[in-house]
Amino acid sequence: RGVERSISFRDAVHILENGSHNEKKTSFDDRRRTWKYAIEGKTDENVAGRVIVAFERGMVIITIIRLDKKKRRKKS
């Protein structure tokens, strides 16, 4: 998925180390009893991103989201 989103695991680590907690995107699921924490920041190449860290069934799930969409070329 990182390749599809043009953002790498290294970018996620950089955001986790240097970003800030986004309380509005952080949530707790009462039914599943799980947390999802959102950290937002920029990569070392100045690309805005969000890292969601979720804890579910003894696993840590990391989702990386690119916030500033890459400009796409128009199809001719």
Side-chain angles (χ1 to χ4, degrees):
R1 287 260 166 143
V3 172
E4 293 170 7
R5 297 174 180 168
S6 299
I7 195 160
S8 69
F9 182 75
R10 179 179 166 186
D11 293 331
V13 171
H14 187 83
I15 291 169
L16 286 170
E17 291 177 339
N18 300 289
S20 58
H21 180 218
N22 181 333
E23 291 184 35
K24 291 181 181 180
K25 296 291 183 177
T26 295
S27 63
F28 180 75
D29 184 332
D30 282 320
R31 188 174 58 83
R32 292 184 181 179
R33 314 279 307 152
T34 58
W35 278 101
K36 290 183 182 179
Y37 293 94
I39 308 296
E40 290 186 7
K42 297 205 178 222
T43 68
D44 58 354
E45 294 176 351
N46 208 33
V47 174
R50 179 183 303 130
V51 178
I52 305 291
V53 180
F55 302 93
E56 210 169 294
R57 297 186 202 127
M59 292 186 298
V60 177
I61 301 167
I62 298 174
T63 304
I64 309 165
I65 302 164
R66 186 182 179 113
L67 296 177
D68 60 343
K69 305 293 182 197
K70 284 177 36 172
K71 292 182 180 178
R72 296 181 182 169
R73 290 188 284 166
K74 292 182 180 178
K75 293 182 181 179
S76 342

